[in-house]
Amino acid sequence: MANPNTKIDQARPAFKTSGLTKIYGEGDTAVHALRGVDLEVPGGELVVLLGASGSGKSTLLNILGGLDRATDGTAHFFDQNLTEMSDNDLTLYRRHHVGFVFQFYNLMPSLSARENVELVTEIADDPLDAGEALELVGLGARQHHFPAELSGGEQQRVAIARAIAKQPTVLFCDEPTGALDSTTGRQVLRVLQNVNDNLGTTVMIITHAAATAAMAHRVIDMSDGAVREIIENKTRLSAEEIEW
Ligand code: ADP
Ligand code: MG
């Protein structure tokens, strides 16, 4: 497994899938979550995934993030075939390359913001300092606060600090603003934009808020387990310009 900080060739796609298929269950109760997805995601982009509930967005992200396995087809992360990796290599892939942010922040309530981030920095190879990661999300002054003392948007920013502290190649965000109002949601999007701009991290964001697509380099629109359309934005809006 490559060192996470080895310079990665950004000219090649970070992800390339071919015929990616996921079927949950069997027989009469089988659910076709992905029906042969062909996709390329260039490294270093900010990508937004849109689509109705149940269209397969989370399934796609979970397979690309090494949390779930495909039923058929292939998914490559640069030259590594995720669909053929052993469980152990998939664990190493997640540990070295992948950060995840979910709708609910999953912070440890008994630990401070800083201690939540340190849970990750203690086991990473070449992590940011926990305080530095919190600075990057605008919470340098709140390091010693507990989750209950932080707003929803601030808690989500701690979750982002935790995810980026290990300097992942890719940051996957599954409805990161789903539980937030428009003002705090925009602050979270600003942080994700900063991560992409300043750290060069490939960022993939699932959202129901279609307006968010305007800040992406690339928009992937999913429908019924398939990619319906991929749009490359010629001009992008900043997080602050997004109309919620
Ligand atoms: P989205 O994120 O776009 O809402 P998902 O990828 O979560 O969609 O789900 C796609 C389809 O797969 C849905 O029909 C969902 O019910 C089904 N599904 C997702 N996860 C599972 C699972 N663990 N077991 C069975 N069905 C699942
Ligand atoms: Mg989902």
Side-chain angles (χ1 to χ4, degrees):
M1 182 65 52
N3 181 293
N5 301 303
T6 307
K7 266 283 175 224
I8 279 175
D9 177 3
Q10 299 287 16
R12 285 183 304 141
F15 292 104
K16 187 171 176 5
T17 73
S18 178
L20 196 67
T21 302
K22 178 68 181 184
I23 303 171
Y24 290 107
E26 285 175 15
D28 289 350
T29 57
V31 177
H32 291 252
L34 295 178
R35 301 173 183 269
V37 170
D38 301 322
L39 189 67
E40 284 191 13
V41 176
E45 286 200 351
L46 190 154
V47 176
V48 165
L49 275 103
L50 298 177
S53 180
S55 58
K57 304 180 300 294
S58 294
T59 302
L60 177 62
L61 232 61
N62 290 345
I63 293 172
L64 296 182
L67 291 177
D68 200 357
R69 283 187 177 277
T71 309
D72 204 357
T74 58
H76 280 83
F77 170 71
F78 293 100
D79 52 10
Q80 301 177 49
N81 188 347
L82 299 175
T83 40
E84 285 187 347
M85 268 186 199
S86 66
D87 286 347
N88 190 45
D89 279 349
L90 221 43
T91 300
L92 292 175
Y93 162 65
R94 285 197 307 270
R95 185 177 302 159
H96 292 311
H97 291 291
V98 178
F100 261 103
V101 173
F102 297 101
Q103 179 173 357
F104 300 105
Y105 329 118
N106 304 317
L107 300 177
M108 299 285 289
S110 61
L111 300 180
S112 68
R114 186 184 175 93
E115 288 165 339
N116 267 281
V117 176
E118 283 172 346
L119 286 178
V120 169
T121 58
E122 276 166 11
I123 60 166
D125 282 343
D126 184 20
L128 299 173
D129 173 71
E132 190 184 344
L134 286 162
E135 290 282 351
L136 282 169
V137 301
L139 291 176
R142 308 297 295 276
Q143 293 188 42
H144 303 294
H145 289 238
F146 289 92
E149 299 168 333
L150 300 170
S151 71
E154 288 165 345
Q155 289 183 59
Q156 188 62 299
R157 280 147 65 197
V158 175
I160 294 170
R162 180 179 58 184
I164 62 170
K166 64 177 172 182
Q167 307 208 61
T169 315
V170 198
L171 180 62
F172 293 108
C173 309
D174 195 340
E175 309 208 17
T177 61
L180 302 175
D181 62 66
S182 57
T183 304
T184 51
R186 244 187 235 106
Q187 290 166 356
V188 164
L189 293 179
R190 161 50 59 192
V191 166
L192 295 176
Q193 194 181 330
N194 288 349
V195 168
N196 177 248
D197 286 346
N198 302 338
L199 303 180
T201 314
T202 304
V203 178
M204 294 185 73
I205 306 171
I206 292 177
T207 179
H208 273 117
T212 307
M215 67 182 276
H217 293 101
R218 185 176 305 262
V219 184
I220 299 172
D221 190 2
M222 294 192 65
S223 173
D224 194 23
V227 172
R228 201 173 67 83
E229 192 178 17
I230 297 179
I231 299 162
E232 279 186 70
N233 283 333
K234 292 198 176 62
T235 57
R236 298 165 59 203
L237 297 184
S238 69
E240 291 74 18
E241 293 169 308
I242 302 289
E243 293 291 338
W244 213 267

